[in-house]
Amino acid sequence: MIVAEKKPIEEIIEGIKDYQKILIAGCNECVTVCEAGGKKEVGILASALRMYFMNQGKTVEIDEITLERQCDHEYLEEIRDSIDKYDAVVSLACGVGVQFMAEKYPRVPIYPGVNTRFMGVTEERGVWTERCQACGECILAKTASICPISRCAKRLLNGPCGGSTNGKCEINKDLDCAWQLIIDRLKALGKLEDYEKLIPIKDWSKDRAGGPRKVVREDVRQ
Ligand code: SF4
Ligand code: SF4
């Protein structure tokens, strides 16, 4: 899933402080799971903003909605009939949802209410870690299903750097060295010989480094 964190409320207020009618829009998918932008967070933010404006002596109308997804035309259409009555929207979706809403409703300013961090997993409640950087050419088959692109600080493809110590990454000692994890898992799988196989130079043109990407699948379009 996409992992996001709530933005500081001061930053949100700075963007919307001059508007009179504001819609807070949550998303029922990833940002709900990571407790940054679902229905619950929409309610909390809306209450905090109402209190803030009331204390400022300002009359500001704040409505709430949580869409199934903000990265799909279908669900964004649900606000088509009401969007024009708002001066601004605070979207608690990831950056994808914010942009898609802005493309669909060009007249209305859309402000992000979360900081989108990465694609990852919930290790335990309140702890999320990165797993994939969408490189466009997955090499997990060669790395015991552990991604060195997202989990090695240096994105090394053929073994650890010299800084790996006691299984921890030299860049961030709170995190395991990805290559230590890969070696341990290869050992556990009885496939340590795979460690000797060189991963060829990667074609980064399929990664974000190759510029914005687009996927067109004719089998799905038909
Ligand atoms: S190799 Fe690429 S696609 Fe596969 S998990 Fe890592 S970043 Fe994601
Ligand atoms: S210590 Fe391990 S995870 Fe950290 S940069 Fe070096 S090889 Fe990558």
Side-chain angles (χ1 to χ4, degrees):
M1 69 173 167
I2 292 173
V3 177
E5 290 174 322
K6 292 182 206 175
K7 269 193 182 293
I9 192 163
E10 298 77 19
E11 193 181 328
I12 296 173
I13 289 170
E14 184 55 32
I16 60 169
K17 62 183 187 312
D18 297 326
Y19 298 118
Q20 264 76 54
K21 287 188 166 200
I22 298 161
L23 177 65
I24 314 288
C27 178
N28 237 343
E29 297 280 351
C30 308
V31 288
T32 293
V33 179
C34 64
E35 303 188 42
K39 190 173 181 186
K40 182 181 74 179
E41 290 75 33
V42 167
I44 292 169
L45 177 62
S47 300
L49 290 173
R50 285 185 197 110
M51 210 172 297
Y52 169 80
F53 286 120
M54 198 175 71
N55 287 340
Q56 297 291 309
K58 285 187 179 174
T59 309
V60 177
E61 191 179 316
I62 296 175
D63 288 344
E64 306 171 29
I65 192 168
T66 300
L67 302 176
E68 194 56 33
R69 277 197 292 282
Q70 291 192 28
C71 52
D72 248 323
H73 282 297
E74 182 186 348
Y75 300 109
L76 282 177
E77 279 300 318
E78 288 174 20
I79 55 172
R80 179 164 297 284
D81 292 341
S82 56
I83 189 90
D84 281 337
K85 74 175 184 185
Y86 296 105
D87 301 323
V89 176
V90 178
S91 166
L92 299 194
C94 69
V96 177
V98 175
Q99 292 182 67
F100 211 31
M101 187 182 284
E103 286 166 35
K104 215 163 175 55
Y105 301 114
R107 191 203 65 79
V108 187
I110 317 287
Y111 290 87
V114 303
N115 290 322
T116 305
R117 297 295 307 275
F118 49 74
M119 276 189 282
V121 297
T122 309
E123 289 206 6
E124 58 185 84
R125 186 152 186 219
V127 179
W128 295 274
T129 49
E130 189 170 18
R131 288 292 184 277
C132 177
Q133 292 189 353
C135 74
E137 200 170 54
C138 193
I139 58 166
L140 288 177
K142 296 173 179 155
T143 58
S145 302
I146 293 166
C147 175
I149 294 167
S150 54
R151 301 182 71 182
C152 168
K154 297 174 187 171
R155 288 179 140 197
L156 298 177
L157 297 186
N158 284 293
C161 68
S164 176
T165 310
N166 297 327
K168 295 295 176 188
C169 174
E170 72 165 346
I171 304 294
N172 181 348
K173 299 213 171 356
D174 289 338
L175 296 178
D176 293 325
C177 165
W179 272 101
Q180 188 63 56
L181 293 176
I182 293 168
I183 292 163
D184 290 348
R185 185 161 157 82
L186 284 172
K187 264 188 211 163
L189 294 172
K191 291 169 75 79
L192 200 51
E193 70 275 8
D194 282 4
Y195 182 54
E196 302 292 325
K197 296 177 189 163
L198 273 185
I199 294 177
I201 292 170
K202 191 164 167 56
D203 176 6
W204 289 105
S205 68
K206 292 180 179 169
D207 175 83
R208 179 65 190 74
R213 293 165 288 171
K214 181 175 185 174
V215 172
V216 179
R217 278 189 49 200
E218 293 302 339
D219 58 324
V220 176
R221 292 180 103 191
Q222 284 156 9

